[in-house]
Short mmCIF file of all heavy atoms in Angstrom, two decimals:
data_model
loop_
_atom_site.label_atom_id
_atom_site.label_comp_id
_atom_site.label_asym_id
_atom_site.label_seq_id
_atom_site.Cartn_x
_atom_site.Cartn_y
_atom_site.Cartn_z
N ALA A 1 6.90 -90.61 23.03
CA ALA A 1 7.31 -89.80 24.36
C ALA A 1 6.23 -88.79 24.59
O ALA A 1 5.76 -88.15 23.70
CB ALA A 1 8.75 -89.31 24.13
N GLU A 2 6.09 -88.68 25.76
CA GLU A 2 5.19 -87.66 26.27
C GLU A 2 5.86 -86.26 26.32
O GLU A 2 6.93 -86.06 26.69
CB GLU A 2 4.68 -87.92 27.68
CG GLU A 2 3.38 -87.19 28.01
CD GLU A 2 2.76 -87.72 29.25
OE1 GLU A 2 3.14 -88.89 29.67
OE2 GLU A 2 1.95 -87.02 29.88
N ARG A 3 4.98 -85.36 25.70
CA ARG A 3 5.61 -83.87 25.54
C ARG A 3 4.62 -83.00 25.86
O ARG A 3 3.47 -83.13 25.80
CB ARG A 3 6.05 -83.69 24.05
CG ARG A 3 7.12 -84.63 23.59
CD ARG A 3 7.59 -84.36 22.23
NE ARG A 3 8.64 -85.29 21.89
CZ ARG A 3 8.78 -85.94 20.81
NH1 ARG A 3 7.80 -85.89 19.92
NH2 ARG A 3 9.78 -86.71 20.58
N TRP A 4 5.09 -81.79 26.42
CA TRP A 4 4.25 -80.65 26.84
C TRP A 4 4.83 -79.38 26.20
O TRP A 4 6.12 -79.28 26.06
CB TRP A 4 4.26 -80.51 28.28
CG TRP A 4 3.81 -81.64 29.01
CD1 TRP A 4 2.49 -82.07 29.40
CD2 TRP A 4 4.66 -82.70 29.64
NE1 TRP A 4 2.59 -83.23 30.11
CE2 TRP A 4 3.82 -83.62 30.21
CE3 TRP A 4 6.11 -82.93 29.59
CZ2 TRP A 4 4.35 -84.68 30.91
CZ3 TRP A 4 6.61 -83.98 30.28
CH2 TRP A 4 5.66 -84.84 30.88
N GLY A 5 4.14 -78.47 25.78
CA GLY A 5 4.65 -77.24 25.28
C GLY A 5 3.87 -76.03 25.68
O GLY A 5 2.60 -76.16 26.16
N ASP A 6 4.53 -75.00 25.86
CA ASP A 6 4.01 -73.68 26.24
C ASP A 6 4.33 -72.67 25.05
O ASP A 6 5.53 -72.07 25.15
CB ASP A 6 4.54 -73.25 27.62
CG ASP A 6 3.92 -71.87 27.97
OD1 ASP A 6 3.18 -71.23 27.18
OD2 ASP A 6 4.20 -71.45 29.12
N PRO A 7 3.53 -72.64 24.03
CA PRO A 7 4.02 -71.75 22.90
C PRO A 7 4.15 -70.35 23.25
O PRO A 7 5.01 -69.65 22.73
CB PRO A 7 2.81 -71.89 21.94
CG PRO A 7 2.04 -73.04 22.39
CD PRO A 7 2.29 -73.25 23.80
N ALA A 8 3.42 -69.78 24.19
CA ALA A 8 3.52 -68.41 24.62
C ALA A 8 4.87 -68.13 25.15
O ALA A 8 5.45 -67.10 24.93
CB ALA A 8 2.37 -67.99 25.57
N ALA A 9 5.46 -69.06 25.94
CA ALA A 9 6.71 -68.97 26.41
C ALA A 9 7.85 -69.55 25.71
O ALA A 9 9.02 -69.37 26.08
CB ALA A 9 6.73 -69.56 27.85
N ALA A 10 7.51 -70.05 24.54
CA ALA A 10 8.40 -70.73 23.62
C ALA A 10 9.33 -71.86 24.42
O ALA A 10 10.49 -71.92 24.28
CB ALA A 10 9.37 -69.75 22.94
N LEU A 11 8.61 -72.61 25.25
CA LEU A 11 9.24 -73.63 26.05
C LEU A 11 8.58 -75.00 25.74
O LEU A 11 7.45 -74.99 25.43
CB LEU A 11 9.12 -73.37 27.54
CG LEU A 11 9.89 -72.15 28.01
CD1 LEU A 11 9.51 -72.02 29.51
CD2 LEU A 11 11.39 -72.44 27.90
N GLY A 12 9.37 -76.07 25.78
CA GLY A 12 8.84 -77.42 25.52
C GLY A 12 9.53 -78.25 26.59
O GLY A 12 10.64 -78.13 26.94
N TYR A 13 8.73 -79.37 26.87
CA TYR A 13 9.34 -80.44 27.83
C TYR A 13 8.85 -81.73 27.22
O TYR A 13 7.97 -81.86 26.57
CB TYR A 13 8.63 -80.24 29.23
CG TYR A 13 8.70 -78.75 29.85
CD1 TYR A 13 7.71 -77.85 29.49
CD2 TYR A 13 9.86 -78.48 30.48
CE1 TYR A 13 7.78 -76.54 30.00
CE2 TYR A 13 9.98 -77.14 31.03
CZ TYR A 13 8.90 -76.19 30.77
OH TYR A 13 9.17 -75.02 31.25
N LYS A 14 9.81 -82.68 27.59
CA LYS A 14 9.67 -83.97 27.18
C LYS A 14 9.93 -85.00 28.24
O LYS A 14 10.92 -84.75 29.11
CB LYS A 14 10.68 -84.26 26.07
CG LYS A 14 10.68 -85.61 25.35
CD LYS A 14 11.64 -85.66 24.19
CE LYS A 14 11.97 -86.94 23.80
NZ LYS A 14 12.96 -87.06 22.73
N ALA A 15 9.20 -86.07 28.37
CA ALA A 15 9.43 -87.08 29.42
C ALA A 15 10.64 -87.81 28.98
O ALA A 15 10.64 -88.71 28.05
CB ALA A 15 8.22 -87.95 29.67
N ARG A 16 11.76 -87.71 29.60
CA ARG A 16 13.05 -88.27 29.10
C ARG A 16 13.04 -89.72 29.41
O ARG A 16 13.63 -90.53 28.62
CB ARG A 16 14.24 -87.58 29.80
CG ARG A 16 14.47 -86.29 29.21
CD ARG A 16 15.81 -85.80 29.84
NE ARG A 16 16.15 -84.40 29.34
CZ ARG A 16 17.16 -84.15 28.60
NH1 ARG A 16 18.02 -85.14 28.27
NH2 ARG A 16 17.32 -82.87 28.20
N ALA A 17 12.47 -90.25 30.54
CA ALA A 17 12.68 -91.63 30.93
C ALA A 17 12.14 -92.54 29.81
O ALA A 17 12.83 -93.55 29.38
CB ALA A 17 12.00 -91.98 32.18
N ASP A 18 10.99 -92.29 29.19
CA ASP A 18 10.50 -93.07 28.11
C ASP A 18 11.28 -93.05 26.86
O ASP A 18 11.71 -94.08 26.34
CB ASP A 18 8.98 -92.53 27.69
CG ASP A 18 8.42 -93.48 26.65
OD1 ASP A 18 8.46 -94.64 26.85
OD2 ASP A 18 7.92 -92.92 25.65
N SER A 19 11.83 -91.85 26.58
CA SER A 19 12.75 -91.80 25.46
C SER A 19 14.05 -92.58 25.63
O SER A 19 14.55 -93.22 24.78
CB SER A 19 13.01 -90.20 25.19
OG SER A 19 13.87 -90.10 24.05
N VAL A 20 14.66 -92.39 26.73
CA VAL A 20 15.87 -93.08 27.17
C VAL A 20 15.74 -94.53 27.04
O VAL A 20 16.51 -95.32 26.53
CB VAL A 20 16.49 -92.64 28.46
CG1 VAL A 20 17.57 -93.50 28.90
CG2 VAL A 20 16.90 -91.13 28.38
N ASN A 21 14.60 -95.03 27.61
CA ASN A 21 14.38 -96.53 27.70
C ASN A 21 14.15 -96.99 26.30
O ASN A 21 14.62 -98.13 25.86
CB ASN A 21 13.03 -96.80 28.50
CG ASN A 21 13.39 -96.57 29.89
OD1 ASN A 21 14.44 -96.66 30.44
ND2 ASN A 21 12.21 -96.37 30.68
N ARG A 22 13.53 -96.38 25.47
CA ARG A 22 13.24 -96.82 23.95
C ARG A 22 14.57 -96.89 23.26
O ARG A 22 14.88 -97.73 22.56
CB ARG A 22 12.33 -95.85 23.27
CG ARG A 22 10.91 -96.06 23.72
CD ARG A 22 9.95 -95.18 22.84
NE ARG A 22 8.63 -95.16 23.39
CZ ARG A 22 7.59 -94.80 22.66
NH1 ARG A 22 7.81 -94.27 21.51
NH2 ARG A 22 6.42 -94.66 23.11
N MET A 23 15.42 -95.80 23.54
CA MET A 23 16.74 -95.78 22.82
C MET A 23 17.62 -96.94 23.40
O MET A 23 18.41 -97.47 22.55
CB MET A 23 17.49 -94.39 23.18
CG MET A 23 18.70 -94.25 22.36
SD MET A 23 19.46 -92.62 22.56
CE MET A 23 18.22 -91.56 21.96
N SER A 24 17.49 -97.17 24.62
CA SER A 24 18.31 -98.31 25.13
C SER A 24 17.90 -99.64 24.60
O SER A 24 18.85 -100.37 24.25
CB SER A 24 18.17 -98.27 26.78
OG SER A 24 18.81 -99.34 27.34
N ASP A 25 16.59 -99.72 24.52
CA ASP A 25 16.06 -101.03 23.88
C ASP A 25 16.65 -101.21 22.40
O ASP A 25 17.06 -102.23 21.98
CB ASP A 25 14.43 -101.02 23.90
CG ASP A 25 13.84 -101.31 25.20
OD1 ASP A 25 14.76 -101.78 26.09
OD2 ASP A 25 12.71 -101.08 25.37
N ALA A 26 16.54 -100.03 21.68
CA ALA A 26 16.96 -100.03 20.31
C ALA A 26 18.49 -100.38 20.15
O ALA A 26 18.85 -101.21 19.27
CB ALA A 26 16.68 -98.71 19.60
N MET A 27 19.29 -99.78 21.08
CA MET A 27 20.73 -99.98 21.01
C MET A 27 21.03 -101.57 21.38
O MET A 27 22.06 -102.05 20.97
CB MET A 27 21.46 -99.11 21.97
CG MET A 27 21.35 -97.57 21.51
SD MET A 27 22.10 -97.33 19.90
CE MET A 27 23.74 -97.59 20.28
N SER A 28 20.09 -102.08 22.12
CA SER A 28 20.31 -103.53 22.63
C SER A 28 19.71 -104.56 21.62
O SER A 28 19.64 -105.71 21.87
CB SER A 28 19.65 -103.72 24.02
OG SER A 28 20.32 -102.93 24.97
N GLY A 29 19.12 -103.98 20.54
CA GLY A 29 18.48 -104.77 19.51
C GLY A 29 17.09 -105.28 19.86
O GLY A 29 16.58 -106.20 19.21
N ARG A 30 16.49 -104.54 20.78
CA ARG A 30 15.11 -104.90 21.11
C ARG A 30 14.21 -103.87 20.44
O ARG A 30 14.54 -102.73 20.44
CB ARG A 30 14.91 -104.96 22.68
CG ARG A 30 15.61 -105.98 23.34
CD ARG A 30 15.34 -105.99 24.85
NE ARG A 30 15.64 -104.78 25.47
CZ ARG A 30 16.83 -104.59 26.09
NH1 ARG A 30 17.82 -105.35 26.02
NH2 ARG A 30 16.98 -103.37 26.71
N SER A 31 13.00 -104.33 20.07
CA SER A 31 12.00 -103.24 19.67
C SER A 31 10.61 -103.80 20.04
O SER A 31 10.36 -105.00 20.12
CB SER A 31 12.09 -102.99 18.13
OG SER A 31 11.98 -104.24 17.41
N ASN A 32 9.69 -102.83 20.16
CA ASN A 32 8.33 -103.06 20.56
C ASN A 32 7.40 -103.09 19.29
O ASN A 32 6.82 -102.16 18.80
CB ASN A 32 7.66 -102.06 21.43
CG ASN A 32 6.39 -102.38 21.92
OD1 ASN A 32 5.85 -103.37 21.80
ND2 ASN A 32 5.92 -101.39 22.74
N LEU A 33 7.39 -104.35 18.69
CA LEU A 33 6.54 -104.59 17.54
C LEU A 33 5.03 -104.34 17.81
O LEU A 33 4.27 -104.12 16.96
CB LEU A 33 6.82 -105.89 16.90
CG LEU A 33 8.28 -106.02 16.40
CD1 LEU A 33 8.52 -107.52 15.92
CD2 LEU A 33 8.67 -105.03 15.35
N LYS A 34 4.59 -104.63 19.01
CA LYS A 34 3.25 -104.48 19.36
C LYS A 34 2.74 -102.96 19.33
O LYS A 34 1.59 -102.69 19.21
CB LYS A 34 2.97 -104.91 20.77
CG LYS A 34 3.21 -106.41 20.95
CD LYS A 34 2.15 -107.26 20.20
CE LYS A 34 2.35 -108.74 20.56
NZ LYS A 34 1.41 -109.51 19.72
N ALA A 35 3.60 -102.08 19.26
CA ALA A 35 3.34 -100.59 19.09
C ALA A 35 2.96 -100.23 17.73
O ALA A 35 2.33 -99.26 17.41
CB ALA A 35 4.59 -99.78 19.53
N LEU A 36 3.21 -101.16 16.70
CA LEU A 36 2.77 -100.98 15.33
C LEU A 36 1.36 -101.55 15.08
O LEU A 36 0.93 -102.40 15.77
CB LEU A 36 3.78 -101.84 14.48
CG LEU A 36 5.27 -101.51 14.55
CD1 LEU A 36 6.19 -102.30 13.66
CD2 LEU A 36 5.50 -100.04 14.12
N SER A 37 0.77 -100.93 13.93
CA SER A 37 -0.50 -101.46 13.69
C SER A 37 -0.48 -102.85 13.10
O SER A 37 0.62 -103.34 12.71
CB SER A 37 -1.18 -100.45 12.65
OG SER A 37 -0.54 -100.73 11.37
N VAL A 38 -1.62 -103.51 12.92
CA VAL A 38 -1.65 -104.85 12.36
C VAL A 38 -1.08 -104.86 11.03
O VAL A 38 -0.32 -105.76 10.62
CB VAL A 38 -3.10 -105.39 12.49
CG1 VAL A 38 -3.17 -106.64 11.74
CG2 VAL A 38 -3.48 -105.59 13.90
N GLY A 39 -1.54 -103.84 10.25
CA GLY A 39 -1.06 -103.70 8.82
C GLY A 39 0.43 -103.56 8.74
O GLY A 39 1.13 -104.13 7.85
N GLU A 40 1.13 -102.73 9.69
CA GLU A 40 2.46 -102.48 9.60
C GLU A 40 3.34 -103.78 9.97
O GLU A 40 4.27 -104.17 9.39
CB GLU A 40 2.83 -101.33 10.60
CG GLU A 40 2.37 -99.96 10.17
CD GLU A 40 2.43 -98.95 11.20
OE1 GLU A 40 2.37 -99.30 12.43
OE2 GLU A 40 2.66 -97.80 10.93
N ARG A 41 2.69 -104.52 11.03
CA ARG A 41 3.44 -105.73 11.34
C ARG A 41 3.32 -106.75 10.20
O ARG A 41 4.22 -107.47 9.93
CB ARG A 41 2.66 -106.31 12.66
CG ARG A 41 3.03 -105.54 13.91
CD ARG A 41 2.69 -106.17 15.07
NE ARG A 41 1.23 -106.70 15.26
CZ ARG A 41 0.37 -105.98 15.88
NH1 ARG A 41 0.62 -104.87 16.46
NH2 ARG A 41 -0.87 -106.42 15.85
N SER A 42 2.17 -106.76 9.58
CA SER A 42 2.03 -107.67 8.39
C SER A 42 2.98 -107.38 7.20
O SER A 42 3.56 -108.23 6.70
CB SER A 42 0.69 -107.56 7.80
OG SER A 42 0.38 -108.33 6.57
N LEU A 43 3.19 -106.06 7.06
CA LEU A 43 4.24 -105.76 5.97
C LEU A 43 5.65 -106.02 6.40
O LEU A 43 6.34 -106.52 5.54
CB LEU A 43 4.14 -104.14 5.81
CG LEU A 43 2.86 -103.71 5.05
CD1 LEU A 43 2.98 -102.13 5.03
CD2 LEU A 43 2.90 -104.20 3.63
N ILE A 44 5.92 -105.99 7.58
CA ILE A 44 7.26 -106.46 8.08
C ILE A 44 7.52 -107.92 7.88
O ILE A 44 8.48 -108.33 7.38
CB ILE A 44 7.52 -106.00 9.51
CG1 ILE A 44 7.68 -104.56 9.76
CG2 ILE A 44 8.81 -106.67 10.12
CD1 ILE A 44 7.81 -103.98 11.04
N LYS A 45 6.41 -108.65 8.26
CA LYS A 45 6.43 -110.16 8.00
C LYS A 45 6.61 -110.41 6.58
O LYS A 45 7.43 -111.20 6.13
CB LYS A 45 5.31 -110.73 8.58
CG LYS A 45 5.22 -112.29 8.34
CD LYS A 45 3.97 -112.99 8.93
CE LYS A 45 4.01 -114.55 8.57
NZ LYS A 45 2.82 -115.03 9.11
N GLN A 46 5.86 -109.75 5.65
CA GLN A 46 6.03 -110.02 4.19
C GLN A 46 7.33 -109.66 3.73
O GLN A 46 7.98 -110.41 2.99
CB GLN A 46 5.08 -109.13 3.45
CG GLN A 46 3.66 -109.47 3.60
CD GLN A 46 2.67 -108.49 2.96
OE1 GLN A 46 3.07 -107.76 2.13
NE2 GLN A 46 1.35 -108.66 3.33
N GLN A 47 8.06 -108.57 4.20
CA GLN A 47 9.46 -108.30 3.85
C GLN A 47 10.50 -109.36 4.36
O GLN A 47 11.34 -109.66 3.62
CB GLN A 47 9.83 -106.89 4.39
CG GLN A 47 9.24 -105.75 3.71
CD GLN A 47 9.71 -105.68 2.29
OE1 GLN A 47 8.95 -106.03 1.39
NE2 GLN A 47 11.01 -105.31 2.10
N LEU A 48 10.25 -109.85 5.53
CA LEU A 48 11.11 -110.87 6.03
C LEU A 48 11.02 -112.21 5.20
O LEU A 48 12.07 -112.80 4.81
CB LEU A 48 10.87 -111.26 7.53
CG LEU A 48 11.40 -110.13 8.65
CD1 LEU A 48 10.84 -110.49 9.87
CD2 LEU A 48 12.82 -110.03 8.47
N VAL A 49 9.84 -112.58 4.88
CA VAL A 49 9.57 -113.73 4.08
C VAL A 49 10.14 -113.46 2.61
O VAL A 49 10.80 -114.38 2.03
CB VAL A 49 8.07 -114.05 3.97
CG1 VAL A 49 7.85 -115.24 3.05
CG2 VAL A 49 7.61 -114.52 5.42
N ALA A 50 9.94 -112.27 2.08
CA ALA A 50 10.49 -111.99 0.77
C ALA A 50 12.02 -112.01 0.70
O ALA A 50 12.53 -112.31 -0.39
CB ALA A 50 9.87 -110.60 0.31
N LEU A 51 12.70 -111.62 1.76
CA LEU A 51 14.17 -111.79 1.76
C LEU A 51 14.57 -113.38 1.64
O LEU A 51 15.70 -113.45 1.24
CB LEU A 51 14.68 -111.16 3.10
CG LEU A 51 14.49 -109.68 3.23
CD1 LEU A 51 15.00 -109.26 4.66
CD2 LEU A 51 15.52 -109.06 2.25
N GLY A 52 13.71 -114.19 2.00
CA GLY A 52 14.04 -115.51 1.90
C GLY A 52 13.41 -116.23 3.06
O GLY A 52 13.38 -115.81 4.10
N ALA A 53 12.89 -117.50 2.76
CA ALA A 53 12.25 -118.25 3.85
C ALA A 53 13.06 -118.58 4.94
O ALA A 53 12.58 -118.57 6.15
CB ALA A 53 11.73 -119.59 3.16
N GLU A 54 14.39 -118.60 4.75
CA GLU A 54 15.38 -118.94 5.77
C GLU A 54 15.45 -117.78 6.77
O GLU A 54 15.69 -117.93 7.97
CB GLU A 54 16.67 -119.44 5.32
CG GLU A 54 17.42 -118.28 4.59
CD GLU A 54 17.10 -118.04 3.18
OE1 GLU A 54 16.26 -118.78 2.60
OE2 GLU A 54 17.68 -117.14 2.65
N VAL A 55 15.22 -116.61 6.23
CA VAL A 55 15.32 -115.34 7.16
C VAL A 55 14.09 -115.40 8.11
O VAL A 55 14.23 -115.25 9.26
CB VAL A 55 15.31 -114.07 6.26
CG1 VAL A 55 15.07 -112.77 7.24
CG2 VAL A 55 16.46 -113.94 5.36
N TRP A 56 12.94 -115.74 7.65
CA TRP A 56 11.77 -115.82 8.49
C TRP A 56 11.91 -116.97 9.52
O TRP A 56 11.70 -116.89 10.71
CB TRP A 56 10.57 -116.07 7.64
CG TRP A 56 9.26 -116.28 8.49
CD1 TRP A 56 8.60 -117.42 8.64
CD2 TRP A 56 8.59 -115.33 9.40
NE1 TRP A 56 7.56 -117.20 9.53
CE2 TRP A 56 7.59 -115.94 10.03
CE3 TRP A 56 8.87 -113.97 9.78
CZ2 TRP A 56 6.71 -115.33 10.91
CZ3 TRP A 56 8.15 -113.27 10.59
CH2 TRP A 56 7.02 -113.91 11.14
N GLU A 57 12.49 -118.16 9.01
CA GLU A 57 12.77 -119.35 9.90
C GLU A 57 13.70 -119.00 10.96
O GLU A 57 13.54 -119.47 12.08
CB GLU A 57 13.10 -120.50 9.03
CG GLU A 57 11.96 -120.99 8.12
CD GLU A 57 10.68 -121.34 8.83
OE1 GLU A 57 10.67 -121.87 9.89
OE2 GLU A 57 9.61 -121.01 8.32
N ARG A 58 14.66 -118.21 10.77
CA ARG A 58 15.78 -117.94 11.72
C ARG A 58 15.39 -116.87 12.58
O ARG A 58 16.05 -116.55 13.63
CB ARG A 58 17.01 -117.56 11.03
CG ARG A 58 17.77 -118.67 10.33
CD ARG A 58 19.20 -118.29 9.89
NE ARG A 58 19.31 -116.91 9.40
CZ ARG A 58 19.64 -116.67 8.17
NH1 ARG A 58 20.00 -117.50 7.39
NH2 ARG A 58 19.69 -115.36 7.76
N SER A 59 14.25 -116.13 12.34
CA SER A 59 13.74 -115.08 13.23
C SER A 59 13.45 -115.64 14.60
O SER A 59 12.96 -116.87 14.72
CB SER A 59 12.52 -114.43 12.70
OG SER A 59 12.89 -113.71 11.45
N GLN A 60 13.57 -114.88 15.60
CA GLN A 60 13.31 -115.31 17.05
C GLN A 60 11.81 -115.51 17.13
O GLN A 60 10.96 -114.89 16.49
CB GLN A 60 13.75 -114.34 17.95
CG GLN A 60 15.27 -114.03 18.13
CD GLN A 60 15.58 -112.87 19.01
OE1 GLN A 60 14.79 -112.38 19.72
NE2 GLN A 60 16.86 -112.65 19.09
N ALA A 61 11.47 -116.50 18.05
CA ALA A 61 10.12 -116.89 18.33
C ALA A 61 9.28 -115.59 18.74
O ALA A 61 8.17 -115.37 18.35
CB ALA A 61 9.96 -117.91 19.33
N SER A 62 9.93 -114.65 19.50
CA SER A 62 9.24 -113.52 20.04
C SER A 62 8.86 -112.59 18.80
O SER A 62 7.84 -111.96 18.87
CB SER A 62 10.09 -112.83 21.04
OG SER A 62 11.38 -112.43 20.48
N VAL A 63 9.82 -112.56 17.85
CA VAL A 63 9.46 -111.76 16.64
C VAL A 63 8.32 -112.37 15.93
O VAL A 63 7.40 -111.61 15.43
CB VAL A 63 10.69 -111.59 15.75
CG1 VAL A 63 10.37 -110.92 14.41
CG2 VAL A 63 11.87 -110.74 16.44
N LYS A 64 8.32 -113.73 15.73
CA LYS A 64 7.36 -114.39 14.93
C LYS A 64 5.98 -114.23 15.64
O LYS A 64 4.92 -113.91 15.01
CB LYS A 64 7.54 -115.77 14.77
CG LYS A 64 8.74 -116.03 13.81
CD LYS A 64 9.00 -117.51 13.71
CE LYS A 64 10.15 -117.92 12.93
NZ LYS A 64 10.40 -119.28 12.82
N ASP A 65 5.93 -114.29 16.98
CA ASP A 65 4.72 -114.16 17.76
C ASP A 65 4.22 -112.70 17.57
O ASP A 65 3.00 -112.39 17.43
CB ASP A 65 4.94 -114.37 19.16
CG ASP A 65 5.20 -115.84 19.41
OD1 ASP A 65 4.80 -116.64 18.59
OD2 ASP A 65 5.63 -116.21 20.63
N ALA A 66 5.04 -111.74 17.66
CA ALA A 66 4.67 -110.29 17.49
C ALA A 66 4.11 -109.95 16.20
O ALA A 66 3.20 -109.10 15.99
CB ALA A 66 5.80 -109.39 17.88
N LEU A 67 4.60 -110.64 15.17
CA LEU A 67 4.24 -110.26 13.82
C LEU A 67 3.14 -111.26 13.25
O LEU A 67 2.60 -111.12 12.14
CB LEU A 67 5.49 -110.54 12.75
CG LEU A 67 6.59 -109.51 12.97
CD1 LEU A 67 7.69 -109.85 12.03
CD2 LEU A 67 6.10 -108.10 12.84
N GLY A 68 2.84 -112.19 14.21
CA GLY A 68 1.54 -113.08 13.77
C GLY A 68 2.03 -114.22 12.88
O GLY A 68 1.65 -114.34 11.74
N SER A 69 2.80 -115.05 13.49
CA SER A 69 3.36 -116.25 12.81
C SER A 69 2.31 -117.22 12.23
O SER A 69 1.38 -117.41 12.19
CB SER A 69 4.41 -117.05 13.54
OG SER A 69 3.82 -117.48 14.83
#
């Protein structure tokens, strides 16, 4: 989220639309895996596979694509 601050006035501002949209996505079960680094996505894929091959196989195609299937 984009934020601005004025330390002298002890005020801060935040772009709410971005924050609200991200929260709405999270509550709807959507997440932006492309926002993660390649290494972070690789670790998530490893964890899904470690939980069991069937977990990875049942993952949505969009998740597999985002994680580098």
Side-chain angles (χ1 to χ4, degrees):
E2 198 168 342
R3 297 183 177 129
W4 306 271
D6 182 354
L11 293 173
Y13 305 92
K14 179 177 169 182
R16 287 187 182 244
D18 183 50
S19 181
V20 170
N21 289 338
R22 286 184 191 195
M23 189 177 297
S24 176
D25 285 346
M27 295 299 291
S28 299
R30 296 183 302 267
S31 56
N32 182 6
L33 297 173
K34 294 292 185 183
L36 301 175
S37 71
V38 172
E40 291 168 328
R41 290 193 306 261
S42 176
L43 288 172
I44 291 174
K45 179 181 177 180
Q46 288 174 17
Q47 283 297 106
L48 288 173
V49 172
L51 287 172
E54 69 278 356
V55 174
W56 177 249
E57 293 304 318
R58 287 192 321 242
S59 296
Q60 295 178 3
S62 60
V63 171
K64 290 180 183 179
D65 290 343
L67 295 177
S69 57

